[in-house]
Amino acid sequence: MTPGGGTASEPEALVVRVSGPTATVAHDGEEREARLVPRVPGGPAVAGDRVLLRPDPDTPVVVRVLPRRTVLERGDGHERRPRAVVANADLLIVVAAVADPPLRPRLLDRYLVAGEVGGLEGAVALTKTDLPHDSDEVGRVAARYRAIGVPVLAGCTRDPGFVAAVRELVDGRTAILAGHSGVGKSSLTRALTGVERAVGEISGKVRTGRHTTTDPRVIPVPGGGAVVDTAGVRTFHLPRMDRATLESGFPEIAAAAAGCRFRGCAHDGDAGCAVPGAVSPERLDAYRRMLADMR
């Protein structure tokens, strides 16, 4: 067996990026292209996956995706089928601009739920603080997440102090950068790693960012750790999940729910519910909206 769990005949590798029928994989300190076979066991493969390879003189073949330690999933299609975006990361940093595009806490909540359900530690990075913005509203949003133990950093990607704080948060781990288009994920990736990624402009028509990053890619951070720069989105749908799973994505609601009078309380305003007053109204409203969306 090799140290990662593969064998000499089927070595283990890290998926750096997936693009169509091929993947860039890292093995023994080198990156190379590998072929993805349809319906690979454990797959389909995504960035961050550990996989087994069948060696080939020209192009190795991914023959198995190994079990995932963590996963960020989104809901795909009308039925919101779970679709993996990134595997085996440690931290999900939801990047949001305080202006241009405007701050949207509902998207932050959906990403944080997806991260919590997928076993990821959550954090928020608020960017573009050098632009005119409502500092009181930004302060209220930041306080809401800090109150439940989610780290919140604020600054701009041109500020070395902000970049250093994000690097300290990553702390040698693998971190996913996710959020709306145009909020500065690619600029932050470049500042953290020194690797150039496409950086686009903000769409003047709808004030949302244009997509600049397509396939998620694992990029090492000098000094240790890595970031995965994901494609910007205009919306992020959660996969279908039952009430108990959704509740687990709101740790403060799950903790308060232990005091509810009735087992299986939906926290919809029923008599004997212990949640209202114990959590922020905004987070409870977010939970109720997501629960209604699951029905």
Side-chain angles (χ1 to χ4, degrees):
M1 299 287 287
T2 61
T7 65
S9 59
E10 291 185 348
E12 183 178 330
L14 168 70
V15 176
V16 174
R17 179 183 179 187
V18 173
S19 183
T22 64
T24 303
V25 298
H27 173 63
D28 280 348
E30 295 183 350
E31 291 187 5
R32 61 180 305 185
E33 296 302 301
R35 184 164 59 88
L36 297 169
V37 298
R39 296 180 293 279
V40 60
V46 298
D49 268 323
R50 308 297 305 190
V51 297
L52 297 183
L53 301 176
R54 184 174 70 225
D56 183 276
D58 297 318
T59 306
V61 179
V62 174
V63 295
R64 179 176 295 277
V65 176
L66 297 175
R68 291 162 175 158
R69 179 172 54 85
T70 66
V71 64
L72 175 65
E73 293 181 324
R74 64 178 176 86
D76 196 29
H78 178 71
E79 296 181 356
R80 309 278 178 85
R81 296 179 301 276
R83 179 174 179 179
V85 179
V86 179
N88 299 318
D90 305 290
L91 175 67
L92 171 63
I93 303 177
V94 191
V95 184
V98 299
D100 198 28
L103 181 60
R104 294 184 175 92
R106 289 182 186 175
L107 184 71
L108 299 182
D109 286 320
R110 288 195 293 274
Y111 265 118
L112 290 172
V113 167
E116 187 74 30
V117 170
L120 293 153
E121 180 183 329
V124 173
L126 301 177
T127 61
K128 301 190 179 182
T129 57
D130 54 329
L131 297 180
H133 62 277
D134 186 339
S135 58
D136 290 338
E137 173 61 16
V138 170
R140 285 190 292 269
V141 170
R144 184 186 313 163
Y145 295 110
R146 287 175 178 145
I148 59 172
V150 175
V152 180
L153 302 176
C156 65
T157 56
R158 291 190 296 272
D159 178 5
F162 174 65
V163 175
V166 176
R167 185 179 292 110
E168 184 177 351
L169 179 64
V170 174
D171 191 27
R173 299 176 292 174
T174 297
I176 304 168
L177 302 183
H180 267 300
S181 301
V183 297
K185 296 185 304 300
S186 293
S187 296
L188 184 55
T189 297
R190 180 178 58 198
L192 290 168
T193 68
V195 174
E196 291 285 346
R197 297 282 271 169
V199 178
E201 301 296 329
I202 301 297
S203 167
K205 183 176 181 181
V206 293
R207 305 311 298 166
T208 58
R210 292 177 181 162
H211 296 270
T212 55
T213 301
T214 53
D215 306 312
R217 177 183 171 192
V218 180
I219 307 174
V221 174
V227 296
V228 187
D229 187 15
T230 64
V233 300
R234 290 202 175 105
T235 189
F236 177 80
H237 295 296
L238 289 171
R240 294 284 182 194
M241 61 184 71
D242 59 29
R243 183 199 59 77
T245 303
L246 177 63
E247 184 180 291
S248 73
F250 289 82
E252 77 278 30
I253 292 179
C260 289
R261 182 183 303 172
F262 301 108
R263 189 174 181 180
C265 178
H267 321 309
D268 246 354
D270 299 331
C273 180
V275 173
V279 304
S280 79
E282 295 85 0
R283 288 279 288 175
L284 181 55
D285 179 65
Y287 166 81
R288 288 171 172 170
R289 286 175 180 272
M290 292 181 207
L291 183 61
D293 193 44
M294 298 294 168
R295 293 168 178 164

